[in-house]
Amino acid sequence: MGRFHIVDDDTIADGGCTDIYFQRCEEILKQEEKNPQVTMEVTTTGMPRSPGVFCGLNDVIALLEGLPVDVDAMPEGSLFSAREPVMRISGRYSDFGRYETALLGFLCHASGIATAAAHIVGAAGGRRVYSFGSRRQHPAIAPMIERSAWIGGVDGVSNTTAPPGIPVVGTMPHAYVMCHASPEEAWVAFDRHAPPDVPRLMLCDTFGDEKEECLRAVTCTAATGVRLDTPRSRRGNMRSILEEVRWELDSRGHEDVGIFLSGGVTEEDIRTYRDIVASFGVGGAIANAPVIDFSLDIVSIEGEAIAKRGKWSGIKQVWESPDGERTVLLASASGPTGATPLLEPVIKDGVVMQRPETADARARVLRSIPNFRDP
Ligand SMILES: O=P(O)(O)OC[C@H]1O[C@H](OP(=O)(O)OP(=O)(O)O)[C@H](O)[C@@H]1O
């Protein structure tokens, strides 16, 4: 263990971050000279939100690259439902069994965040959504959180360690405002010194009433937006606060100044306020999303279909018809006419055939979101 309680890359890559039973049973299988050829599939039997958004394949490929295994998977950003295999791994069991813990961790967490982000972006109906929640999780996984949220369709993320290509955005903390003699001094200094491409979004709830602070901010700066982060203890009726602020801004000729809402924003809040709010900063509702409880199960041993109770035996393929209809069939069967197989080879005998492109994954999600239905 280093300075922080986190596992280093090499330990994960060596299969050292695993559940103890994998290590023990691998040793026993070795002594018994058993190492069957198996195919294992990744599925979930139920989800917090449907459809799910598949994410985390990049890290799984980094984990399994070089092992004597074949991996087929849905492309990142694919939608999936319960029972649909999103990935399958074929190889000798003891060559990859110990990786189950890390592999599922990558997929469960990233897919949970991408799924929540996609449903939140869908609820926003075109209003901008930003991922502000890296502070709600361990800092070591901030890049994964921001990448998954970006694939899920958010318009930007706040953490500076987001992978390259993802827009990093932010406004100002309350602490910054409090470091000045008055909010005016803080807003003016921000307006004067922030890089020109940074939106002039002024935080307007530090000490005073939202309406008052918003009017003061647009009077002393060229504010492009006002951010309300009203504490829970003051939210008697957030809808009324928002309408009042909007009215006062509009009636003074500030129709172009958008309202940015943050602080405990949920998917339900977004549906409630999306007609009046231009942008949402969402923390925990994305970063703390429930994981997708994927499992990795044997479906074939030495070419024979087999499964534990509750799982479906046989190596499968998921087919998608042009109208979006999904069919799960044995991989040996032909698919429906005109349908596309969703599980594609990504690793062949340890060699990576294709790596996920973040932009492609995000584009796939953005194409799908208009078809999401309200819960
Ligand atoms: O959706 P959430 O889980 O609440 O997370 C995001 C929130 O966290 C920060 O607030 P905070 O008041 O802690 O920080 P600040 O004073 O620096 O704005 C940020 O301003 C968001 O409002």
Side-chain angles (χ1 to χ4, degrees):
M1 197 70 65
R3 179 171 175 176
F4 303 109
H5 280 76
I6 52 175
V7 179
D8 61 87
D9 279 14
D10 289 345
T11 303
I12 298 174
D14 292 347
C17 179
T18 187
D19 292 293
I20 185 71
Y21 63 7
F22 289 120
Q23 287 181 344
R24 288 201 187 113
C25 291
E26 186 181 320
E27 189 53 39
I28 296 166
L29 286 168
K30 193 173 167 189
Q31 288 176 31
E32 295 284 312
E33 296 181 356
K34 289 189 193 308
N35 192 12
Q37 178 72 27
V38 302
T39 294
M40 301 184 77
E41 288 180 345
V42 176
T43 55
T44 181
T45 52
M47 293 190 293
R49 292 300 303 273
S50 194
V53 173
F54 181 54
C55 194
L57 180 60
N58 58 326
D59 284 336
V60 172
I61 289 175
L63 182 71
L64 300 181
E65 180 174 12
L67 295 179
V69 295
D70 293 342
V71 180
D72 293 73
M74 288 187 184
E76 273 195 309
S78 296
L79 304 187
F80 66 89
S81 300
R83 296 281 180 192
E84 289 178 354
V86 293
M87 175 185 288
R88 71 170 106 92
I89 306 169
S90 299
R92 297 218 163 262
Y93 178 72
S94 291
D95 290 343
F96 68 93
R98 82 190 84 106
Y99 292 94
E100 176 173 328
T101 308
L103 179 156
L104 290 178
F106 285 140
L107 297 179
C108 292
H109 208 166
S111 297
I113 291 170
T115 298
H119 285 277
I120 281 173
V121 169
R127 299 295 195 252
R128 288 181 296 277
V129 175
Y130 299 105
S131 166
F132 275 11
S134 60
R135 65 181 55 199
R136 303 292 180 226
Q137 292 281 343
H138 196 293
I141 59 168
M144 181 281 288
I145 292 173
E146 302 297 43
R147 177 179 185 272
S148 304
W150 175 244
I151 286 177
V154 301
D155 296 279
V157 305
S158 65
N159 195 283
T160 52
T161 65
I166 300 178
V168 179
V169 297
T171 62
M172 61 183 70
H174 291 96
Y176 164 80
V177 177
M178 295 170 74
C179 285
H180 294 81
S182 69
E184 272 87 349
E185 193 181 291
W187 299 324
V188 168
F190 188 86
D191 198 13
R192 184 180 301 137
H193 299 298
D197 59 322
V198 171
R200 269 41 190 172
L201 260 167
M202 304 306 171
L203 181 57
C204 292
D205 63 7
T206 305
F207 293 117
D209 174 77
E210 285 79 358
K211 172 173 65 175
E212 260 182 57
E213 288 213 5
C214 286
L215 292 178
R216 283 161 54 192
V218 296
T219 303
C220 67
T221 67
T224 55
V226 287
R227 175 172 156 231
L228 306 189
D229 194 62
T230 309
R232 291 233 161 258
S233 60
R234 300 293 194 279
R235 282 189 194 184
N237 185 332
M238 197 64 211
R239 173 99 217 162
S240 287
I241 296 173
L242 289 164
E243 286 177 351
E244 197 178 321
V245 167
R246 187 70 269 163
W247 173 266
E248 299 298 343
L249 288 172
D250 289 353
S251 59
R252 284 164 177 78
H254 297 291
E255 294 91 345
D256 293 344
V257 174
I259 300 177
F260 187 112
L261 184 67
S262 62
V265 172
T266 64
E267 186 181 329
E268 198 186 332
D269 291 333
I270 290 176
R271 287 183 207 287
T272 308
Y273 306 133
R274 65 188 169 194
D275 61 317
I276 195 166
V277 168
S279 312
F280 295 94
V282 183
I286 291 176
N288 302 349
V291 299
I292 308 289
D293 62 344
F294 284 125
S295 53
L296 179 70
D297 295 286
I298 291 179
V299 295
S300 168
I301 296 185
E302 301 295 359
E304 293 293 321
I306 189 170
K308 72 176 188 182
R309 294 193 302 166
K311 300 289 174 171
W312 299 358
S313 66
I315 303 169
K316 298 165 211 79
Q317 176 58 276
V318 183
W319 294 87
E320 186 171 78
S321 298
D323 62 359
E325 182 76 20
R326 296 282 182 93
T327 315
V328 180
L329 296 173
L330 286 174
S332 53
S334 337
T337 312
T340 311
L342 296 185
L343 294 165
E344 303 169 340
V346 290
I347 293 180
K348 211 89 188 122
D349 200 19
V351 178
V352 177
M353 312 303 289
Q354 50 178 319
R355 291 185 195 275
E357 288 288 342
T358 302
D360 292 348
R362 174 178 158 82
R364 210 167 273 120
V365 176
L366 291 177
R367 280 196 300 276
S368 306
I369 284 176
N371 302 323
F372 284 15
R373 286 188 299 274
D374 284 358

